[in-house]
Amino acid sequence: MSDSASITTGAEKPAAHDDHHGHYGVPGYDPAAWKMGMWLFLFTELLLFGAMFIVFAVYLHKYIWQFAAGSVQLDIPIGTFNTLVLLTSSMTMALAIAVLQRGKKELAIKLLDFTLGCAALFCVVKSFEWGGKFEHGIYPGSLHLAAMTLGEQIFFGLYFTMTGLHALHVIVGAGLILWCRARIKSGAVHAERITFMDNIGLYWHLVDLVWIFLFPLFYLVG
Amino acid sequence: MSQANDHHDEPHLIPYKTYILVWLGLCSLTLLTVAVSYANMRHMTIPVALMVASLKCTIVVLWFMHIKFENRVLWWFLIAAVGTYVIFVILTFADYSYR
Amino acid sequence: MSTQALPAMEQVDYIRAQKGLRSWLTTVDHKRIAIMYLIAIVSFFVVGMILGLLMRAELLSHGEQFLSGAAYNRILTLHGVIMIFLFIIPSIMAVFGNFVLPIQIGANDVSFPRLNLASWYFYMAGAALALWSVGVGGVDTGWTFYVPYSGNTDANVVLPMLAAFLLGWSSILTGINMVTTVHRLRAPTMGWRQMPLFVWGIYATAWIAVLATPVIGITLVLVLFEKFFHVGIFNASMGGDPILFQHLFWIYSHPAVYIMVLPAMAVVSEIVPVFSQKRIFGYRFIAMSSIAIAAIGSLVWAHHMFTSGMADEGRIIFSFLTFFVSVPSAIKVFNWLATMYKGSIRIELPMLFAFAFIFLFSIGGFTGLLQAALSIDIHIHDTAFIVAHFHYTMFGGTGVMFFGAMYYWWPKMFGRMYNKAAGMVGFLLFFVGFNTLYFPLFVAGLKGMPRRYADYLPEYEGYHALSTYGSWIMVTGLLILIFNLIGSLRCLRFWGTDAEENPWDAASLDWKVPSPPPTHQFASEPIIVGGPYDYPIPHLGDDDKQAGKAEVKA
Ligand SMILES: [Cu+2]
């Protein structure tokens, strides 16, 4: 209830806002909302990996020398190679969006294919790395690992957990890129309706970001 | 304060060259941090590695994730999220750094 | 607040818009999703209440009555899991945030309607897992799932942990939706300072849900990894630190208590000005204190761990920081009281619930300050004092305002007014029973009664017996309150009357649409003039630039 009613009609509404809303009646296409929602989702990923980095930091603080001893058992050239692979895939993802914004559909799909190739390469290298560790008897619950110092056991526990969860995100990200590729092909995503691709790009860059921290913390503390 | 300025329909067109330069920068920072780790600086290794990683992270967020070209609301969002995380880290160490 | 509401009176309301169970299970209408949450949440509340009654009955006198220690522990865990994860955390946010918030900001739905439905399914899946865990023997870890016990126990902790994980995602998705909705779907003529305080409260809550919940999600996943893949993370025999689990657990779970209570405070901020017919006092302070609670609430988690073996310096820092979190809550209480001062107060049921909130939450808050003091907490940690404290804040706060919100918005949601006299009786029984139930636990706790015990020494019998009698009075009141609402529904019409569009003379936008609203409550964009608290009585020294003075900017 209001006593100071100064009612305006819909017809008199300020023109400046006309472009703002498509949500009266049918829900409209609001790229800014989708982008905002995507960023909020990325924050949950940030905090999810962030919590694991807190665990890492606490044990690094506690077992600094044992972590160094664990770290030297990882292969720096392989880690570096994988870092460069992911960075490159991030660039091709960004380029794919930039290309599609300019209407070049075929080139965008090629760049996405390249990005997918990088994702696959990353996973293959990662699995060889894990396989190598398993061959040396280093895997969760192994006797060889149980014979190591407590700090090294934690180091490898975190190594498998964190790189494993990261690899899972790479796989999910690749799946999303495949989906995006299909939608570009079908014409659902194009220069004017590119928010979907933008958001998948954001997710892919987040996967890259996590690795940017994982790499030095696991490979370079030795 | 009309919220019409959260509006961002026209995507900002970033030249291809920017992305390639950013990529080159990220790769050289990666090689730099690896080189530093071989230099065996003992207790400086981790701080240097973390600083380089943070720098790379900032570059990715600003250009690849084009936060640099976004409106102010997303900047505030990012500050809130990262700030919260930093608080969690610092206060966890309010315990662990004294143990 | 005045608007060009343009209600399409002839339109059929959202309940009758479609028929059949399928139309409900596939709906993307925020109002229908809210109703589905309401049904689920009230049902789980009743289940949790029955479990609580069982525990109280066991504690009626000393010695074993009808529950073994093991059974008691399982019931206690289930009571905690249901009440925390299935009732309090989603309660006001999911039901009234969904139903009321879009209407209050002049929107026709939330930003991501399908995501909204998905988060209801996440909720139901989590609930199913939690109940399934009972079927396979139950869990006796307590709702906190502390390691090392949760890692070693043979009980099936996977199901409740996965349940908590899914429920966490449900509240994250709701949070993402609410934040985006407030930013993107506010009527273009509604400035931030013209938003109702309920919207501010839900907005702050949504942020906490987004930023804190992932931490518990990953922590539970880590425990499961450790359990099944034998990776060393928290396990001390592999070099892990079990206290780190507690840190991560409370990094989420302390902010979670504000996920629980901020929406309740937001409801109080809506109800008090309406039933005082007076402009809200200190709009900006109430709005900002919600944000401040969200911010400061993330600084204090380790006050749950003062006896866990943390470093002394850490304990002192957290004790010190904890005192600050009471300041914004106190600001809210002062502003509510100042709003009532010289107002034209009507004693209706929603207002009674708001009074009860202020009284009970103040007791809960003050006893919280006692526990914030490190030295006192070491004495009362893990005693019944804590149990009394968090029931006063969580149940006396959020639980009470969940009922308050139901009694306030029921006419809007269902177009029916309940029987006020019966509601009054139910409220009084509830209030008396509540205090009889929980207050003795403060005293018993101070005298050394530990929490989570199925039995006790004879000297505590008086407190426990009184408490159990209280539980019977309280449950009688709660049942009257619930059945009063159910019996008033249009399909039953046992009592009550049809509700008008605005039975409380409220000024905010949610009362400008028909009761119940049509599926699309706003046929065209509402034009907002003035604030949500434009009541006849101005507040003293009306120098706030809020509400009443805000004009439309073109
Ligand atoms: Cu707390």
Side-chain angles (χ1 to χ4, degrees), chain C residues 250 253-254 257-258 300-301 303-304:
Chain C
W250 289 110
S253 295
H254 183 80
V257 307
Y258 295 109
V300 299
W301 72 82
H303 60 218
H304 297 269

mmCIF file of all heavy atoms in Angstrom, chain C residues 250 253-254 257-258 300-301 303-304, ligand 1:
data_model
loop_
_atom_site.group_PDB
_atom_site.id
_atom_site.type_symbol
_atom_site.label_atom_id
_atom_site.label_comp_id
_atom_site.label_asym_id
_atom_site.label_seq_id
_atom_site.Cartn_x
_atom_site.Cartn_y
_atom_site.Cartn_z
ATOM 1 N N TRP C 250 35.305 -26.320 8.757
ATOM 2 C CA TRP C 250 34.702 -25.109 9.340
ATOM 3 C C TRP C 250 34.886 -23.879 8.470
ATOM 4 O O TRP C 250 34.168 -22.900 8.645
ATOM 5 C CB TRP C 250 35.233 -24.873 10.759
ATOM 6 C CG TRP C 250 34.684 -25.909 11.695
ATOM 7 C CD1 TRP C 250 35.370 -26.930 12.290
ATOM 8 C CD2 TRP C 250 33.319 -26.048 12.130
ATOM 9 N NE1 TRP C 250 34.528 -27.699 13.053
ATOM 10 C CE2 TRP C 250 33.261 -27.177 12.977
ATOM 11 C CE3 TRP C 250 32.144 -25.337 11.885
ATOM 12 C CZ2 TRP C 250 32.077 -27.611 13.570
ATOM 13 C CZ3 TRP C 250 30.983 -25.772 12.479
ATOM 14 C CH2 TRP C 250 30.948 -26.889 13.304
ATOM 15 N N SER C 253 31.693 -24.453 7.177
ATOM 16 C CA SER C 253 30.540 -24.604 8.057
ATOM 17 C C SER C 253 30.330 -23.400 8.962
ATOM 18 O O SER C 253 29.211 -23.198 9.425
ATOM 19 C CB SER C 253 30.663 -25.873 8.886
ATOM 20 O OG SER C 253 30.617 -26.977 8.011
ATOM 21 N N HIS C 254 31.377 -22.604 9.233
ATOM 22 C CA HIS C 254 31.008 -21.377 9.929
ATOM 23 C C HIS C 254 30.264 -20.414 9.006
ATOM 24 O O HIS C 254 29.190 -19.961 9.364
ATOM 25 C CB HIS C 254 32.149 -20.680 10.655
ATOM 26 C CG HIS C 254 31.602 -19.491 11.365
ATOM 27 N ND1 HIS C 254 30.957 -19.601 12.561
ATOM 28 C CD2 HIS C 254 31.434 -18.218 10.965
ATOM 29 C CE1 HIS C 254 30.434 -18.426 12.883
ATOM 30 N NE2 HIS C 254 30.721 -17.578 11.929
ATOM 31 N N VAL C 257 26.656 -21.100 8.823
ATOM 32 C CA VAL C 257 25.658 -20.660 9.799
ATOM 33 C C VAL C 257 25.080 -19.312 9.378
ATOM 34 O O VAL C 257 23.953 -18.981 9.729
ATOM 35 C CB VAL C 257 26.199 -20.597 11.252
ATOM 36 C CG1 VAL C 257 26.826 -21.902 11.648
ATOM 37 C CG2 VAL C 257 27.128 -19.441 11.474
ATOM 38 N N TYR C 258 25.839 -18.553 8.580
ATOM 39 C CA TYR C 258 25.259 -17.303 8.067
ATOM 40 C C TYR C 258 24.426 -17.544 6.821
ATOM 41 O O TYR C 258 23.521 -16.768 6.544
ATOM 42 C CB TYR C 258 26.359 -16.261 7.853
ATOM 43 C CG TYR C 258 26.960 -15.901 9.181
ATOM 44 C CD1 TYR C 258 28.229 -16.291 9.525
ATOM 45 C CD2 TYR C 258 26.189 -15.249 10.129
ATOM 46 C CE1 TYR C 258 28.738 -16.029 10.775
ATOM 47 C CE2 TYR C 258 26.679 -14.985 11.378
ATOM 48 C CZ TYR C 258 27.961 -15.382 11.696
ATOM 49 O OH TYR C 258 28.444 -15.127 12.940
ATOM 50 N N VAL C 300 36.332 -16.341 10.890
ATOM 51 C CA VAL C 300 36.258 -16.752 12.293
ATOM 52 C C VAL C 300 36.120 -18.252 12.510
ATOM 53 O O VAL C 300 35.916 -18.695 13.636
ATOM 54 C CB VAL C 300 35.055 -16.041 12.968
ATOM 55 C CG1 VAL C 300 35.231 -14.544 12.913
ATOM 56 C CG2 VAL C 300 33.747 -16.433 12.346
ATOM 57 N N TRP C 301 36.291 -19.063 11.451
ATOM 58 C CA TRP C 301 35.840 -20.453 11.543
ATOM 59 C C TRP C 301 36.480 -21.245 12.673
ATOM 60 O O TRP C 301 35.842 -22.143 13.235
ATOM 61 C CB TRP C 301 36.056 -21.138 10.204
ATOM 62 C CG TRP C 301 37.501 -21.411 9.880
ATOM 63 C CD1 TRP C 301 38.241 -22.452 10.324
ATOM 64 C CD2 TRP C 301 38.375 -20.630 9.057
ATOM 65 N NE1 TRP C 301 39.521 -22.384 9.822
ATOM 66 C CE2 TRP C 301 39.627 -21.280 9.040
ATOM 67 C CE3 TRP C 301 38.216 -19.451 8.317
ATOM 68 C CZ2 TRP C 301 40.721 -20.787 8.325
ATOM 69 C CZ3 TRP C 301 39.301 -18.973 7.612
ATOM 70 C CH2 TRP C 301 40.542 -19.627 7.615
ATOM 71 N N HIS C 303 36.958 -20.887 15.622
ATOM 72 C CA HIS C 303 36.435 -20.869 16.990
ATOM 73 C C HIS C 303 35.705 -22.177 17.332
ATOM 74 O O HIS C 303 35.352 -22.378 18.485
ATOM 75 C CB HIS C 303 35.544 -19.647 17.241
ATOM 76 C CG HIS C 303 34.345 -19.547 16.350
ATOM 77 N ND1 HIS C 303 33.896 -18.357 15.857
ATOM 78 C CD2 HIS C 303 33.511 -20.484 15.848
ATOM 79 C CE1 HIS C 303 32.835 -18.580 15.107
ATOM 80 N NE2 HIS C 303 32.580 -19.845 15.084
ATOM 81 N N HIS C 304 35.525 -23.028 16.351
ATOM 82 C CA HIS C 304 34.949 -24.338 16.642
ATOM 83 C C HIS C 304 36.019 -25.330 17.064
ATOM 84 O O HIS C 304 35.719 -26.476 17.371
ATOM 85 C CB HIS C 304 34.234 -24.887 15.407
ATOM 86 C CG HIS C 304 33.071 -24.052 14.983
ATOM 87 N ND1 HIS C 304 31.804 -24.275 15.433
ATOM 88 C CD2 HIS C 304 32.996 -22.962 14.184
ATOM 89 C CE1 HIS C 304 30.986 -23.371 14.912
ATOM 90 N NE2 HIS C 304 31.684 -22.556 14.155
HETATM 91 CU CU CU D 1 31.077 -20.619 14.031
#
